[in-house]
Amino acid sequence: MKTTHFVILASFASILLAGCNSDTTAKKEKEAAQNKSAAERVYVPPGKLDDYYALLSGGQSGSVFVFGIPSCRFIKEIPIFEPRAALGYANNPGSETYKRLAATGPLWGDTHHPVLSQTDGRYDGHWLWINDKANDRVAKIDLRTFEVAEIKLVPNLQGAHGLATYLPSCKYVFVNGELETDAAGNSTDMEKYRSAIAFLDAQTLETKFEVSFVGNADIATSGKDGRYVFSTMYNTENAVSSEGMIERDRDAVGAIDVPLAEKAVAEGKFTKINGVPVIESEKVPGVLTLIPVPKNPHGCNVTPDGKYVLASGKLSPTVSIIDAHTLRTIAEPEVGLGPLHTTFDNRGNAYTSLFVDSQIVKWNIEKAIKGEPDYIVDRVDVHYNVGHTKAAGADSSYPNGDWLISLNKLSKGMFLPVGPAMPESQELIDISGEKMRVVAAFPSLPEPHDAVMIPRTTLENHVVQTYEQQPTAVKLGEEKVVRNGNKVEVYMTCIRSKFVPEQFEVHQGDEVKLHLTNVETVRDMTHGLALSRYGINVAVDPGLTTETTFVADKLGTYWYYCTWFCSALHLEMRGRMLVKPVGAELNETVGPITKAEKAGSVGGKESSFE
Ligand code: CUK
Ligand code: CUA
Ligand code: CA
């Protein structure tokens, strides 16, 4: 089984070249058919679009990766908590994206859980939220542009890990503090350690209230009816050593009664810590119910119909099935070693990742509840040590039931060797039949934890072709340079293949604010502006205006040039910043530089080609 998909991938190329060979033995024919079918399942010809977007958290890459499914083609990286110079994202200290990110914490992050917005139990294609476990932040991505719309720090907790949206309304996203601290007193006294689950306004990401408790919270999920949200809690011991954290035979799933928490806030039953109302769970009976489950559970997932919460055992080979309304454990089926996360199809089956067994196990939920011995439907090997697994649509009430991604922690020999560290590995599994089938493997940067898959038809119509012109946009013909003491504002446009102005002059030490608008109206015509020796790189997509501030501290001529190959005149798309000594006369030319002006502005020196 471990080699099956190598065969499939190898055959994939030969089938494309040679077509299906029908002059073989029956066995070979059958194999070829299987291979062809697997290849055809993932083959999307160039120019044809995939059926799904897969949005993978980038882990310590601080970003989200966009892949097309079933082709497994890499489409885009959305940088969130880390600068990406290529995209002009947060790389210039004087840019808006840098300021927004730096205001919330460091310039890197650890993204774990991508969460899609829903309307009436379906993904609506509007928003994607994601957490930064390392620096306790949550970001909101606008799926019209696949860009960050909001980033906020979550106060009073550490290790902002589990993330989910409160269903069905999606008015909150809530995030779990995995690491215990004394948020109220900032002491080192472990007797005072607590953890919290924070409820954020889903749009502004302001923390509206928190529920605090002794212990920790790991993975988050929401019931479907607006009452409870759930979190696994592996450190009910409130220990500070790994030995201490596995002392108890049972830990818990915590259920928070959200309407009751809201009522407690309204009635003033909270302590304000760092500006946030914090409800201590001990003081509001019923706000937090602990449901005992075996030792150190991990994944926590509500079934699509909202009936059950499934807590994956991690150190126990079981999945606990909890009634999402009565909060009672009703079954604890064994599934295999190291169960971490569970996902769903549209036929009543659960798929649990087994980290230790390196398998995905498919099992029938109702059969497991009834104690029928044949509740395990199928197992498939994955390569290797799977963490999350996610089926298409599985966090909504309407899973699609066709594809599942296995997000594996180790790839070992799966790809070309590139040193001691290998790429992370995902495998695509066809779950449309009774038996699962691994049909492709694709590498990525470190280290995807979780993924969501949304049908193309849900999302593609939301995606905009160009940015709407903002009020701050610089219009063609209205480019200008405005001086105010030592502050200089440069209002610049770019379009194939010219920056206007092509030249501006400043005094050494001036603070320059560059407003750059891409006035293209055509999709994909991005221009970039890199300013030599000043460490500035800006990317402006069609319609976008960016603002970047820097100090012109070096004397001389500094060219800015376009970084995105945009036309046959791309290399000629450049201009100069002339930095003159304080007191020198400055040329105010803004429009196209004519020969006469050029002669004047560069001291009459003509090019030898003229
Ligand atoms: S955690 Cu990584 S495998 Cu952050 Cu979702 Cu379970
Ligand atoms: Cu604009 Cu290259
Ligand atoms: Ca424990």
Side-chain angles (χ1 to χ4, degrees), residues 314 316-317 335-340 353-359 379:
K314 192 169 77 183
S316 159
V335 292
L337 294 181
L340 288 188
S353 57
L354 302 174
F355 179 83
V356 177
D357 280 341
S358 284
Q359 281 183 337
R379 293 176 188 276

Side-chain angles (χ1 to χ4, degrees), residues 9 71 83 176 227 279 371 375 543:
L9 289 177
S71 75
N176 290 349
R227 177 84 188 269
I279 303 162
Y375 63 94

Side-chain angles (χ1 to χ4, degrees), residues 342-357:
T342 299
T343 189
F344 308 100
D345 65 16
N346 50 0
R347 304 180 296 277
N349 298 303
Y351 299 77
T352 300
S353 57
L354 302 174
F355 179 83
V356 177
D357 280 341

Side-chain angles (χ1 to χ4, degrees), residues 264-284:
V265 173
E267 291 170 355
K269 294 179 186 160
F270 60 79
T271 315
K272 240 188 188 173
I273 305 175
N274 296 312
V276 174
V278 180
I279 303 162
E280 290 170 58
S281 63
E282 300 87 342
K283 294 184 181 164
V284 180

Side-chain angles (χ1 to χ4, degrees), residues 234-237 244-248 251 295-296:
Y234 65 77
N235 189 20
T236 55
E237 296 90 344
M245 292 176 205
I246 56 170
E247 246 169 40
R248 289 186 178 164
D251 285 291
K295 218 178 181 103
N296 292 48

Side-chain angles (χ1 to χ4, degrees), residues 527 562 564-566 570 573:
H527 299 284
C562 180
W564 291 70
F565 207 108
C566 51
H570 158 75
M573 187 171 176

